[in-house]
Amino acid sequence: MTDATTEPGNARRRAPEGELGTFEELPFTDGGVTHTVYRKGRGPVVIVITEMPGISPMVLGFADRVVALGCTAVLPDLFGEAGRDPLEGNALSMAGYGLKSMGGACISREFSVLATGKSSPVVSWLRALAHQEHARAGGPGVGVVGMCFTGGFALAMAVDDLVLAPVLSQPSLPFPIGASRKAAVDTSDADLAVVRQRCDAEGLRVLGLRFDGDPFVPRERFAFLKDRLGDGFVAVELRQADGHPDGPLGKHHSVLTGDLIDEPGEPTRAALDQVLDLFRSKLVTAAP
């Protein structure tokens, strides 16, 4: 893992970057679907599902922090070019890469990008991956974090008793076009009911992260999750002013990566620490 970078103009440390070559690469197949998976570490498993446009150096840096906890980080490669820096190159190449990744995901049958009340088909594949990795690594269960396009996948995976620590970082599906999609998430009503039952009966907690004012994650979405999950949904809502001044988008969006200010006392760092503490308490210190 490389050190977090310090920006000359504002001395704000950015999220650290990891190197793809330090991860083991292997295929995983379930239901006739195969994706490459990257794995690193020892101990209980955390499935790290990348944000758009793909597994970036900053997503790898977040995974390295999971490894440092004493966990195994497992990253499924669902879209984009693993290891590519989405901010590298000229404006045209950056835009082209983002559009190519997004376009491919939008037409894929594995993802439900506009439908409300529906879990994406890829969730079944992710659940199977979690079971295989848990059988290999052991521990009390698994953690999972979805980011951006994949944020809601972590919620849908939590219907499985194996998932003990689900994290939804800026969950962006369905695309918030119209009031009904703003007040929704890409998880079926049946799956939401199961997760609510786990929250009430087992004390499961679903952690959600967003920046206020993020057009991809409207406040109505978190209000919907609070209504459906009650005290089982723990919302961490940051101000736009809390994000890194050199964030990659016009509005702050990526809580754990591109818009993170990696310094103690910063709200984004506190949000990151809350995620890591959840994995530590549910997976590491609870391990037999």
Side-chain angles (χ1 to χ4, degrees):
M1 179 173 65
T2 60
D3 292 336
T5 56
T6 302
E7 303 295 338
N10 50 57
R12 299 293 183 91
R13 290 174 65 84
R14 305 207 64 174
E17 297 183 351
E19 298 179 7
L20 190 67
T22 64
F23 288 73
E24 177 186 6
E25 179 181 346
L26 61 153
F28 175 71
T29 301
D30 180 73
V33 176
T34 300
H35 289 288
T36 298
V37 172
Y38 296 92
R39 179 202 292 150
K40 185 176 181 178
R42 298 173 63 90
V45 168
V46 175
I47 308 292
V48 179
I49 319 175
T50 186
E51 60 197 350
M52 277 288 170
I55 300 174
S56 68
M58 282 188 178
V59 171
L60 293 168
F62 171 81
D64 280 333
R65 282 182 146 138
V66 169
V67 172
L69 290 176
C71 293
T72 303
V74 177
L75 288 72
D77 186 12
L78 302 179
F79 42 75
E81 300 174 29
R84 176 170 175 173
D85 185 346
L87 301 179
E88 194 170 72
N90 58 38
L92 185 61
S93 66
M94 288 189 290
Y97 174 47
L99 289 172
K100 181 180 178 181
S101 293
M102 180 65 75
C106 287
I107 64 174
S108 171
R109 294 182 179 180
E110 291 189 271
F111 310 111
S112 300
V113 299
L114 289 174
T116 60
K118 182 178 180 181
S119 299
S120 287
V122 74
V123 170
S124 295
W125 184 92
L126 289 166
R127 291 172 186 159
L129 173 65
H131 274 269
Q132 172 176 284
E133 289 297 314
H134 176 257
R136 184 195 58 81
V142 305
V144 57
V145 53
M147 305 176 184
C148 179
F149 191 88
T150 70
F153 297 177
L155 177 61
M157 288 179 69
V159 303
D160 197 317
D161 291 345
L162 192 66
V163 175
L164 302 181
V167 178
L168 289 61
S169 190
Q170 73 270 3
S172 304
L173 294 185
F175 292 143
I177 303 170
S180 64
R181 292 188 180 94
K182 288 181 179 180
V185 72
D186 57 331
T187 301
S188 71
D189 290 341
D191 285 351
L192 276 170
V194 172
V195 176
R196 173 62 185 257
Q197 184 177 29
R198 290 194 63 202
C199 292
D200 293 343
E202 305 168 24
L204 178 74
R205 292 296 177 262
V206 177
L207 185 60
L209 315 170
R210 68 178 286 270
F211 282 102
D212 192 27
D214 180 351
F216 298 106
V217 194
R219 65 179 62 192
E220 292 94 334
R221 181 159 298 159
F222 271 32
F224 168 82
L225 289 168
K226 188 67 175 177
D227 178 67
R228 289 298 186 94
L229 300 180
D231 292 339
F233 182 63
V234 179
V236 177
E237 299 187 86
L238 303 163
R239 302 171 304 162
Q240 282 292 314
D242 296 330
H244 199 286
D246 293 322
L249 301 177
K251 289 279 191 177
H252 292 304
H253 173 69
S254 298
V255 178
L256 303 175
T257 56
D259 292 306
L260 171 72
I261 301 176
D262 193 23
E263 297 176 1
E266 291 289 343
T268 50
R269 175 61 183 271
L272 168 65
D273 289 342
Q274 191 169 347
V275 171
L276 297 176
D277 286 344
L278 178 66
F279 293 150
R280 183 184 294 110
S281 64
K282 295 296 184 181
L283 303 175
V284 180
T285 60

